[in-house]
Amino acid sequence: MKGWWGRVLRIDLSKEKISTISIDERILVDFIGGRGLAVRLLWEYNPPGVDPLSPYNNLIISSGPLSGLPIPSSGKLVVASKSPLTNGYGDGNIGSMASFHLKRAGYDAIIISGRARKPVYVFIENEKVSINPADHIWGLDSFQAEDKLVREHGKNVGILLIGPAGENMVRYATIVSQKGRSGGRPGLGAVMGSKNLKAIVIKGTLQPPVHDIESLRKTAEEAYKKILEAPGYDYWIRQGTMATIVWSQQNSVLPTMNFREGVWDYYENISGDLMEKLKVDRRACPFCNMGCGNVIRDEFDELSELDYENVAMLGSNILLGDLKKVAALNRMADLYGMDTISLGNSLAFLMEASEKGLIREKIEWGDFKTVRELVEDTAYRRGLGAFIAEGVMRMSRSLGREALDFAMHVKGLEVSAYDCHAAPGMALAYATSPIGAHHKDAWIISYEVRTDRLSYSHEKVERLVYLQDIRGGLFESLTVCRLPWVELGLDIDYYIRLLGDATGIAWTIDMVRVVANRIYTLIRLFWIREFQGWDRSLDYPPPRWFKHPLTKGPFKGARLEPSKYDSMLDAYYELRGWDSNGVPKPETIEKLGLTSIVGSPGA
Ligand code: PTT
Ligand code: SF4
């Protein structure tokens, strides 16, 4: 077998048991790796209905056939589990040397279950795996803990770890790496915390099995060159994802005041142009020649790595118009290990609840001092922070009916930074994303603003399914960064060729789309297994976008139309082979070869 090891490392922290599992080649070909392999393993090893924060929930860390290899932006890995935020499938994608080392340690994935009696960290050096006391790093923020682990194990390791938010099981705690890369929005850091697992340190020295290394090197070289020659390269290097602030403002999708509006008068105070003037460094994930980690000095003169989502959610969405202050909140989120998108949503929700008199506390929009205190309290679950740590869905349910209307989440995951009053395609993308309201699977908004913006057309739905298949299917199962393709137009064919070079299989885009459909369908079946009484209402965007029209900007008066949204959702289900409640049909399960995994259709 080439491209994969066919081996998964299994660690049970309760029993302190370490073992390996052989994975059949058929499974690897059918699911490729990353997200695909993760959901396949979760389906098999997670007890149905398990409490996500119990020892019986499994945490999966998985690589893909291109991990550990010198190809454009391959230094990423997928973390996945049952989410404590949504109670459904959750995953994230982190840029980290841990990806390189995991593959070079001889494993396609790691499954971690159980709960250690005391705080521990795991050290993996090829086949040598140990569970070690972590008393000296428990309680430290993610930067301090990483420094200590590097002092102990040297620089040539990959480290995944949690901060205090993960330890305190904040429902949107993330897993952090390399002081500024953070992933697992749906609370994957809390899952680590629930296991008393502070960190995973990996050192791999093996050569991954590759079918044709010469051809792979040649294809990769060509792709690297194409990236450097792309017309948008220089601008990308200057601004990275921060260019999106101005773009979002121009297109009326900049989240403003808890997604009340899509434009903000003070957007220039947080823009990519301003960031360029303040920029002091640029960082990159492993094997990337278009590094987008733009670093500035924040309000307290500390380094903070900015991205669009972080700045929009902690800037315009809470009306904080000062990039250095936004950067300080962003750095705190990384130190504590909390998702900036869910945090920005939770703070905005609370500000609106305060404005409407639904809570006693007075929390003004854009009040930096109060917000800073609240962010720290959230990480430690102190006072009002314990409420914020529960996320928007739970907060809104406890405040009652009125609050549900401005609770910006889908299935419990807070909405990322694109307003959808005037973007029905993007609203559908959030609603049908396999982890809740995240933009990773289908960033159809960029297509939508270039075409028939307000239409609910079948063509848009087809485009959405295509994007999901490529972004959420191909890139998430390869675990390779999608940005060379999204931002600089690197031909998708390069990835298909590289996958062929690595595995020796003559992949085509159609074959990849079948794998993607299989992955989406299994994830959907996972959700249904965890939810009694599943129905299509779970595939709806937040009520605000239907009920409260925009009051400003070029799309003033716009809002989503329920009956037209319904017809788009029907079209989506049809394209996926799911029934009118979004449940995969027996013939779809059969066709995708999932029957032997999930049981006989109709049984
Ligand atoms: C990702 C989500 C994003 S998506 C952003 S900014 W973006 C936020 N980043 C956070 C952060 O930083 N710190 C923090 N405490 N919380 C954060 N929450 C938010 O998390 C990220 C990049 C980006 S920057 C994007 S678009 C692309 N995402 C990719 C993806 O999902 N898959 C893939 N194959 N390639 C991708 N390339 C790009 O990677 P999640 P990262 Mg991230 C600091 O984690 O859970 O997937 O959510 O991992 O290494 O930081 O790279 O404008
Ligand atoms: Fe990482 Fe950015 Fe490079 Fe993607 S483009 S690999 S997110 S540095």
Side-chain angles (χ1 to χ4, degrees):
M1 178 179 357
K2 299 291 182 188
W4 301 275
W5 293 105
R7 234 156 65 106
V8 169
L9 176 65
R10 193 166 185 203
I11 301 171
D12 181 333
L13 294 170
S14 298
K15 296 183 183 145
E16 298 186 4
K17 191 173 163 214
I18 294 158
S19 55
T20 54
I21 306 167
S22 296
I23 301 286
D24 192 75
E25 186 170 6
R26 190 69 252 156
I27 293 178
L28 294 163
V29 175
D30 279 356
F31 290 92
I32 298 184
R35 165 186 269 182
L37 183 56
V39 65
R40 177 65 181 79
L41 293 170
L42 277 179
W43 182 275
E44 185 169 345
Y45 291 97
N46 252 32
V50 71
D51 174 353
L53 296 175
S54 81
Y56 307 103
N57 188 21
N58 288 285
L59 173 68
I60 313 281
I61 296 157
S62 57
S63 66
L66 301 182
S67 303
L69 298 172
I71 68 134
S73 312
S74 66
K76 294 223 162 218
L77 53 69
V78 164
V79 290
S81 192
K82 180 170 173 182
S83 157
L85 187 63
T86 67
N87 268 319
Y89 173 82
D91 69 17
N93 195 306
I94 313 178
S96 168
M97 277 308 285
S99 158
F100 173 89
H101 284 285
L102 171 60
K103 193 63 189 266
R104 296 210 166 218
Y107 308 104
D108 297 310
I110 310 174
I111 308 181
I112 303 174
S113 62
R115 175 182 294 143
R117 272 190 296 275
K118 286 182 161 185
V120 294
Y121 78 95
V122 167
F123 182 52
I124 301 165
E125 192 173 11
N126 299 347
E127 75 284 358
K128 262 174 33 202
V129 181
S130 55
I131 302 170
N132 309 283
D135 309 291
H136 63 309
I137 48 174
W138 193 260
L140 295 185
D141 69 48
S142 70
F143 292 14
Q144 291 169 332
E146 180 156 343
D147 283 342
K148 276 209 170 186
L149 289 168
V150 166
R151 273 202 293 279
E152 283 165 33
H153 294 283
K155 278 193 177 150
N156 188 23
V157 292
I159 302 177
L160 301 169
L161 78 174
I162 55 169
E167 293 175 14
N168 295 311
M169 290 178 263
V170 172
R171 287 190 189 271
Y172 41 87
T174 52
I175 300 176
V176 186
S177 191
Q178 300 178 189
K179 300 185 179 180
R181 294 280 153 190
S182 164
R185 288 196 56 209
L188 281 277
V191 174
M192 263 180 86
S194 73
K195 300 189 173 314
N196 268 330
L197 176 61
K198 177 73 179 179
I200 302 160
V201 182
I202 316 176
K203 184 171 186 168
T205 57
L206 308 173
Q207 204 55 43
V210 174
H211 168 70
D212 186 344
I213 189 71
E214 277 320 307
S215 176
L216 182 129
R217 281 216 178 96
K218 229 170 116 237
T219 315
E221 232 171 75
E222 237 180 78
Y224 274 125
K225 198 155 163 274
K226 285 271 177 211
I227 291 170
L228 293 178
E229 289 166 354
Y233 183 80
D234 292 341
Y235 187 52
W236 173 261
I237 290 298
R238 279 171 31 211
Q239 296 219 350
T241 60
M242 282 294 289
T244 315
I245 294 281
V246 171
W247 181 89
S248 288
Q249 169 76 11
Q250 284 166 349
N251 290 296
S252 189
V253 295
L254 185 70
T256 303
M257 225 179 172
N258 197 26
F259 289 89
R260 234 178 261 186
E261 306 292 346
V263 290
W264 189 38
D265 292 345
Y266 303 99
Y267 73 97
E268 283 168 328
N269 296 352
I270 56 166
S271 72
D273 298 333
L274 177 59
M275 181 279 296
E276 268 196 68
K277 292 184 190 134
L278 301 174
K279 185 162 155 178
V280 292
D281 196 7
R282 186 166 66 86
R283 297 178 188 157
C285 306
F287 296 119
C288 177
N289 69 341
M290 51 179 280
C292 66
N294 289 306
V295 181
I296 70 163
R297 288 208 170 271
D298 69 14
E299 182 72 0
F300 305 102
D301 210 28
E302 301 284 350
L303 298 176
S304 176
E305 188 176 329
L306 301 179
D307 266 308
Y308 167 70
E309 302 288 331
N310 309 338
V311 172
M313 297 313 302
L314 296 169
S316 53
N317 203 43
I318 61 168
L319 302 194
L320 179 57
D322 181 326
L323 192 57
K324 282 182 163 256
K325 289 184 174 141
V326 173
L329 299 179
N330 172 60
R331 179 177 51 83
M332 288 172 79
D334 286 343
L335 283 172
Y336 296 137
M338 273 187 286
D339 175 46
T340 50
I341 299 174
S342 291
L343 181 64
N345 266 289
S346 300
L347 292 166
F349 172 84
L350 209 69
M351 286 167 177
E352 184 154 356
S354 168
E355 180 186 270
K356 292 190 156 70
L358 300 178
I359 56 170
R360 273 195 320 273
E361 294 82 354
K362 207 76 212 127
I363 303 160
E364 301 290 345
W365 292 98
D367 175 357
F368 176 61
K369 187 172 169 295
T370 305
V371 167
R372 250 184 78 212
E373 287 164 8
L374 286 177
V375 170
E376 186 174 317
D377 287 348
T378 302
Y380 291 95
R381 282 187 173 271
R382 288 189 301 239
L384 194 55
F387 187 51
I388 304 171
E390 291 293 292
V392 166
M393 179 177 74
R394 287 175 177 78
M395 284 196 286
S396 64
R397 284 179 182 166
S398 77
L399 292 186
R401 204 168 172 74
E402 191 184 342
L404 299 182
D405 272 1
F406 59 89
M408 302 307 291
H409 70 90
V410 172
K411 302 183 183 72
L413 183 70
E414 288 78 7
V415 177
S416 45
Y418 304 94
D419 184 80
C420 292
H421 281 92
M426 194 65 214
L428 183 67
Y430 282 138
T432 59
S433 147
I435 62 167
H438 193 38
H439 61 290
K440 144 165 79 186
D441 288 81
W443 195 55
I444 196 169
I445 189 80
S446 78
Y447 169 85
E448 206 159 26
V449 301
R450 280 183 277 118
T451 56
D452 191 359
R453 172 82 184 255
L454 296 177
S455 91
Y456 294 71
S457 67
H458 198 274
E459 198 188 337
K460 230 181 226 183
V461 185
E462 281 173 3
R463 178 76 190 170
L464 188 148
V465 172
Y466 169 77
L467 287 175
Q468 286 186 337
D469 286 355
I470 301 301
R471 294 167 62 108
L474 177 63
F475 283 103
E476 292 316 304
S477 58
L478 290 180
T479 79
V480 164
C481 179
R482 63 173 183 257
L483 297 185
W485 169 69
V486 175
E487 302 290 348
L488 299 182
L490 183 67
D491 199 321
I492 204 70
D493 194 46
Y494 278 107
Y495 298 95
I496 305 291
R497 280 164 59 194
L498 288 164
L499 184 55
D501 290 338
T503 59
I505 296 167
W507 291 90
T508 62
I509 200 81
D510 289 344
M511 285 162 71
V512 164
R513 290 196 69 181
V514 172
V515 172
N517 206 8
R518 183 177 295 121
I519 295 171
Y520 273 82
T521 298
L522 188 57
I523 293 179
R524 174 51 62 116
L525 289 164
F526 184 92
W527 277 91
I528 293 165
R529 190 172 80 168
E530 302 304 314
F531 277 76
Q532 298 302 319
W534 176 277
D535 68 36
R536 63 188 280 140
S537 66
L538 283 146
D539 288 333
Y540 276 66
R544 161 151 281 168
W545 290 332
F546 292 103
K547 290 188 176 174
H548 309 146
L550 292 173
T551 68
K552 285 183 183 168
F555 290 94
K556 187 174 167 182
R559 63 176 161 183
L560 297 178
E561 295 180 47
S563 62
K564 290 186 178 172
Y565 176 81
D566 263 326
S567 60
M568 267 187 129
L569 186 58
D570 284 337
Y572 176 84
Y573 289 158
E574 206 177 305
L575 288 169
R576 282 261 173 250
W578 302 351
D579 72 13
S580 60
N581 268 318
V583 177
K585 293 178 181 167
E587 58 268 31
T588 304
I589 295 174
E590 188 82 54
K591 195 177 76 191
L592 293 170
L594 290 170
T595 311
S596 60
I597 300 167
V598 303
S600 193

